[in-house]
Amino acid sequence: MFQVMPDQAVSLRGLRKSFGPVEAVAGIDLDVADGEFFAMLGPSGSGKTTVLRMIAGFESPTAGTVELGGRDVTRLAPFERDVNTVFQDYALFPHMSVLDNVEYGLRVKKVPRAERRERALAALRSVRLEGFEKRRPAQLSGGQRQRVALARALVNRPRVLLLDEPLGALDLKLREEMQVELKAIQREVGITFLFVTHDQEEALTMSDRIAVFNQGGIEQVGTPAEVYERPATAFVAAFVGTSNLISGDAARAVLGREGTFSVRPEKLRVVLGEEPPGPDEHEAAGVIREVVYAGPATRFVVDLDAGGRLIALQQNLQASSMDVTGLRGARVRLVWNRRHEFPIDAPAEPVAAG
Amino acid sequence: MNFSRTSRTLLRAALVAGLAVVYVPLAVVLLNSFNSDRTFSWPPAGFTLRWWGAAWDSAGLRDALWTSVQAGLGATAIALVLGTMAAFAVQRYRFFGRETVSLVIVLPIALPGIVTGIALSNTFHTVLGLPLGLLTVIVGHATFCVVTVYNNVLARLRRMGLNLEEASADLGADTFTTFRLVTFPMMRSALLAGGLLAFALSFDEIIVTTFTAGAGVRTLPIWIFENLFRPNQAPVVNVVAAALILLSVIPIYLAQRLSGGDPQTH
Ligand SMILES: Nc1ncnc2c1ncn2[C@@H]1O[C@H](COP(=O)(O)OP(=O)(O)OP(=O)(O)O)[C@@H](O)[C@H]1O
Ligand SMILES: [Mg+2]
């Protein structure tokens, strides 16, 4: 069977939502391709949940349109949309068993009993929850509940799966395990995942592409590498990873250019001795203000002579804490390859950091 | 908390004394229903089932009991419908005068029964021209029974939030299906608890009943009240009291089981 598949699973056009005087979503355009693992990353209150709720159909937009697979669904009720949501608090039905929860979507769509039983059991298997069918949600751990919620959504084979900080309630270790599993499950089922998180690391490790939200708008859309290595705005530079900006006088003195530039901390080399920079390299002299020993790496906070402050992250390949902590106050030079400095369009100070 | 030995002993004594004040008289009522002496001499003169038999054979008593059951069921039914609708309206929709609705619903239970009684009696009589009877008793009881259902349902709705219903809609269920499969089952124990309370309130109501019942209708409390001071009926009244003690254990037990096994919303 041959079918023409529209490329876009989700398209948002001029999407806007106001709650009274609060503009939660300030007009965004976004395209998510079929089969993509797409993250919406941003600080608290930046409008991520509101966007997700408009896609699911729980909020109607003040303006703009929502398209799913090329079809305009802006005015449709949630139960008329081919999306399913994994809620932040899971919202499992407490009066139903795990199996009944997972079967729910098929049951209301009148799928025959035998088929829905089979599909629900398969979905539970895919999230590794065989043997839990008869339990009530209250009798499960947080991680197990999260997987039931996932199975309950996946069993319907929606076009798009929306996940609102699905790992937020889990402890660090479980969260890291579930990150790997979610990614594996998504690859298996091939469904588009649209994933909300305020954890930049989570977004970077899991997604094919990321949209960085700030105050109801989108600052940048790109692959994790693009967003991290080449932040488009000062906000993105600050929110995704450590902000390392060279601007004003420092930019003129060190780079010989006007504007604001970003360099990631791990791209900087801390040089103690005389070592002339290569042809592709820039360097800036300064004094080490602070040395933070962090196990596998050490963070050096360096005040530049030309003004401003940069953070350099060095792998502790040879050094031990004894060696590095003694460097506080030492004069150093920071050296980096020009490839790793990127101009940033907004010179404004970042509003918030993660 | 840590208590000293003495204060622990004192607390225990106070608890025993408190329970005794409540339960010893109830036990006396139960025992006296089998007391062969008509004047309840103490200790009981002998064991008899005569009074239970007499109560069973009393047509007036049976009629009164049946009337009370009808009134209780009627008032409970009205309370369930109106209380649930009011709770949903207040919790789920914003409308003008929303805050006032709660007050208006709770007020009748705070009003002295005699005021409600007079007001209703006047209204039925003079304004509506309704003959007083079972129907007016039911309506009268419903005015203060609504609040028990309303409060129970409102509390449950608050705790439940909108998440579960959104999840249901998200999974493809329309509004009616969501109500049938999610909202109502989550609501069920609250409705039962509210309904039981409403029935109990109606069942022992006497003041409003007096004003709204008219001549021909006699509920159980009114029958008891009329027969309480007739010396030869005293043992039968006592049997009724004993029976009611036993019967009221059932709803209390049910209500506790229900709230104990309540579905938890997470
Ligand atoms: N129902 C509502 N009524 C009024 N304001 C709302 C409502 N829902 C959201 N807001 C406001 O809209 C803004 C965006 O909220 P939203 O929940 O989308 O943020 P978020 O990015 O999901 O944040 P978080 O990471 O904390 O979940 C916030 O300022 C919030 O206070
Ligand atoms: Mg949110």
Side-chain angles (χ1 to χ4, degrees):
Chain A
M1 197 180 72
F2 181 74
Q3 247 188 329
V4 183
M5 296 290 275
D7 295 332
Q8 304 308 340
V10 181
S11 296
L12 310 179
R13 288 287 168 268
L15 199 64
R16 187 180 297 278
K17 178 74 191 181
S18 314
F19 296 104
V22 182
E23 184 149 70
V25 178
I28 59 169
D29 298 290
L30 187 65
D31 289 301
V32 179
D34 252 330
E36 233 183 342
F37 198 115
F38 193 95
M40 306 203 297
L41 173 69
S44 187
S46 57
K48 310 176 297 286
T49 296
T50 309
V51 170
L52 215 62
R53 289 176 59 82
M54 285 192 283
I55 298 172
F58 301 130
E59 308 277 1
S60 52
T62 310
T65 58
V66 178
E67 277 180 22
L68 293 174
R71 192 164 75 107
D72 186 342
V73 299
T74 316
R75 301 283 150 223
L76 296 188
F79 51 85
E80 298 167 310
R81 300 183 184 203
D82 193 11
V83 296
N84 285 117
T85 308
V86 176
F87 294 86
Q88 177 158 19
D89 64 352
Y90 313 143
L92 299 177
F93 304 124
H95 59 293
M96 295 181 193
S97 69
V98 165
L99 188 62
D100 287 342
N101 263 283
V102 176
E103 277 186 19
Y104 190 86
L106 302 174
R107 180 174 167 198
V108 302
K109 283 181 210 103
K110 308 264 182 325
V111 173
R113 185 178 292 270
E115 184 192 340
R116 74 183 192 226
R117 172 78 24 123
E118 195 181 308
R119 277 170 67 180
L121 289 173
L124 281 170
R125 242 190 333 273
S126 76
V127 297
R128 299 175 232 336
L129 270 184
E130 307 99 318
F132 288 84
E133 296 84 9
K134 294 213 169 58
R135 297 236 198 143
R136 291 292 173 98
Q139 300 166 318
L140 299 176
S141 73
Q144 290 164 345
R145 275 184 216 153
Q146 197 269 341
R147 282 182 279 173
V148 175
L150 193 61
R152 185 178 69 172
L154 282 175
V155 76
N156 305 294
R157 297 176 196 144
R159 163 156 223 124
V160 182
L161 190 69
L162 307 174
L163 305 100
D164 193 352
E165 304 201 21
L167 309 181
L170 307 182
D171 64 51
L172 184 64
K173 190 156 159 40
L174 193 54
R175 192 155 75 218
E176 284 172 352
E177 276 173 33
M178 284 309 297
Q179 285 174 0
V180 176
E181 280 196 26
L182 259 188
K183 186 78 190 167
I185 290 169
Q186 192 260 347
R187 216 173 285 126
E188 254 166 58
V189 296
I191 291 173
T192 311
F193 275 34
L194 190 51
F195 182 95
V196 163
T197 177
H198 58 233
D199 181 339
Q200 46 117 352
E201 212 172 297
E202 197 165 284
L204 291 174
T205 52
M206 295 174 76
S207 350
D208 298 323
R209 283 196 306 151
I210 302 175
V212 184
F213 277 67
N214 182 29
Q215 299 189 330
I218 294 180
E219 298 263 332
Q220 185 176 3
V221 179
T223 64
E226 283 166 359
V227 168
Y228 181 76
E229 311 255 347
R230 268 176 280 143
T233 68
F235 176 83
V236 176
F239 192 72
V240 185
T242 310
S243 168
N244 243 1
L245 299 182
I246 309 171
S247 61
D249 292 341
R252 251 167 266 132
V254 175
L255 312 172
R257 286 205 276 172
E258 286 291 336
T260 303
F261 299 85
S262 149
V263 196
R264 290 300 181 188
E266 67 279 6
K267 305 288 198 250
L268 299 175
R269 221 165 64 238
V270 178
V271 178
L272 285 165
E274 286 300 315
E275 179 194 318
D280 298 333
E281 289 182 326
H282 270 136
E283 66 165 353
V287 178
I288 296 182
R289 252 319 126 241
E290 199 55 73
V291 180
V292 183
Y293 177 75
T298 302
R299 226 182 298 274
F300 297 89
V301 182
V302 177
D303 280 345
L304 302 183
D305 295 342
R309 166 177 289 189
L310 289 180
I311 294 168
L313 190 71
Q314 304 291 289
Q315 295 288 311
N316 290 336
L317 296 177
Q318 261 99 46
S320 73
S321 73
M322 294 308 229
D323 309 326
V324 291
T325 42
L327 290 175
R328 189 174 295 124
R331 285 204 58 81
V332 288
R333 285 176 308 128
L334 297 177
V335 181
W336 65 93
N337 193 307
R338 288 161 194 249
R339 276 191 299 141
H340 296 136
E341 70 196 29
F342 294 98
I344 279 172
D345 49 348
E349 273 297 292
V351 181
Chain B
M1 263 197 290
N2 281 312
F3 289 115
S4 73
R5 209 185 176 72
T6 5
S7 57
R8 240 192 338 247
T9 318
L10 279 175
L11 270 174
R12 213 167 281 157
L15 177 69
V16 169
L19 289 176
V21 166
V22 177
Y23 285 101
V24 168
L26 293 182
V28 170
V29 167
L30 278 175
L31 283 177
N32 270 340
S33 71
F34 302 106
N35 191 339
S36 60
D37 184 59
R38 183 178 287 283
T39 57
F40 301 147
S41 66
W42 198 259
F47 175 85
T48 181
L49 288 175
R50 210 175 112 211
W51 313 127
W52 285 84
W56 185 251
D57 289 335
S58 161
L61 174 58
R62 274 205 309 254
D63 282 350
L65 180 64
W66 176 230
T67 308
S68 268
V69 168
Q70 282 176 296
L73 290 179
T76 304
I78 295 178
L80 283 174
V81 173
L82 292 184
T84 306
M85 290 190 338
F88 266 87
V90 165
Q91 180 61 22
R92 292 290 166 80
Y93 302 99
R94 335 239 117 230
F95 53 88
F96 178 75
R98 196 167 70 101
E99 280 73 33
T100 329
V101 170
S102 271
L103 184 69
V104 169
I105 289 171
V106 178
L107 191 64
I109 204 161
L111 275 181
I114 197 133
V115 176
T116 315
I118 294 172
L120 284 171
S121 164
N122 280 342
T123 313
F124 290 142
H125 242 326
T126 52
V127 182
L128 299 174
L130 266 176
L132 296 184
L134 183 59
L135 184 68
T136 51
V137 171
I138 290 176
V139 174
H141 285 189
T143 59
F144 55 82
C145 285
V146 169
V147 67
T148 64
V149 176
Y150 172 79
N151 277 343
N152 270 284
V153 173
L154 192 68
R156 179 61 53 85
L157 283 175
R158 288 220 166 105
R159 194 147 58 98
M160 201 171 110
L162 286 172
N163 289 356
L164 296 178
E165 285 158 62
E166 281 186 353
S168 171
D170 187 72
L171 292 164
D174 59 31
T175 317
F176 176 72
T177 309
T178 296
F179 184 84
R180 189 167 61 85
L181 295 180
V182 176
T183 319
F184 181 71
M186 295 296 298
M187 214 86 294
R188 200 158 34 202
S189 58
L191 287 173
L192 204 63
L196 280 174
L197 260 169
F199 187 83
L201 269 183
S202 160
F203 201 74
D204 80 343
E205 215 291 330
I206 189 158
I207 305 173
V208 174
T209 318
T210 315
F211 282 90
T212 50
V217 177
R218 194 176 287 122
T219 63
L220 193 61
I222 291 186
W223 182 89
I224 293 177
F225 196 70
E226 283 175 1
N227 288 279
L228 193 56
F229 303 110
R230 295 187 195 159
N232 57 350
Q233 285 284 42
V236 177
V237 170
N238 194 72
V239 165
V240 174
L244 290 182
I245 292 171
L246 295 177
L247 284 179
S248 41
V249 173
I250 298 171
I252 300 289
Y253 172 76
L254 278 182
Q256 289 219 329
R257 277 270 315 256
L258 285 173
S259 49
D262 231 12
Q264 292 297 308
T265 31
H266 284 281

